[in-house]
Amino acid sequence: MSAQTTAAAAGGRRGLALRPGAWLTWAVLVFFFVNLLGVITTVLLNSLGRSWFTAWLPTGWTGHWYSDAWKEFGLGEVLRTTVEVTFLVVLVSLVLAVPASYALARRDFPGKHLLTTLFVLPILVPPIAYGIPMATVLYKFHLAGSVTGVVLANLVPSIPFVIFTMTPFIEQIDPKIEAAARMCGASTWTVLTRILSPLMLPGILAAGILVLVRTFGMFELTFLTAGPGSETLVVALFSAVNSAGIRSTQSIDAMAVIYTGTMAVLLLVALRFVNPTQLVARSSE
């Protein structure tokens, strides 16, 4: 028994010695997360400190920077616009993409693979690559600078994203269930509302939550098409950091904490309802 234990220990030591790449990977991950934690902690402490210059910690604590940021940057209106844009994008994406996903999952037609490839392109291509010409078109038709323009711009990657998520999900639903319902005299509306909708609801919920998180954090397309009154929180944060004028860093950091905290809550909600491993597995199939 002791010989087996010794052999197992020796084998484990040889495995560790033969895998320097694993140690390098862990070192890089630890370095990344330590730096990330340091940045987040610094911003959080600065947003709560009265002043912070040479000491390790701020000299006193206060929460008035959050109220100052709320008034100075008009965060109430910014958050209202952000919620409006986000939910409009989610709603329109689901209304347009779910029927398209069903057609792609259930029907074969000429050019289907080409169409699927075109739908994937806005997800793979960086938003800035097609965002600039798209913003030019929206400005030409006087749509940019408004909530409508921001919503239209965000629909370009969101609709393909829902299609990419929902199509494998619908393919898992047995078509024989629909055929059996029709044989029993169910109408198309009944099949849609009583049979398919409950089965597709988990996929619709997952796609909607993912689009919500994606739209809330989308910077490039929103920045290129937003104007006064149509800026979302991430664009307003960028403008506060880079626009002309003197602003307290504590107020900007307080705004950054609000954005980061909101994104963290949305991500936790998304992970509560969506399993990324299962999503990747369905997509690879």
Side-chain angles (χ1 to χ4, degrees), residues 52-59:
W52 193 4
F53 294 102
T54 58
W56 283 97
L57 293 174
T59 56

Side-chain angles (χ1 to χ4, degrees), residues 14 27 34 49 55 90 109 138 186 216 219 232 265 267 280:
R14 286 196 300 270
V34 166
V90 171
F109 51 86
L138 291 176
F216 189 92
F219 171 75
T232 59
V265 171
L267 286 174
V280 172

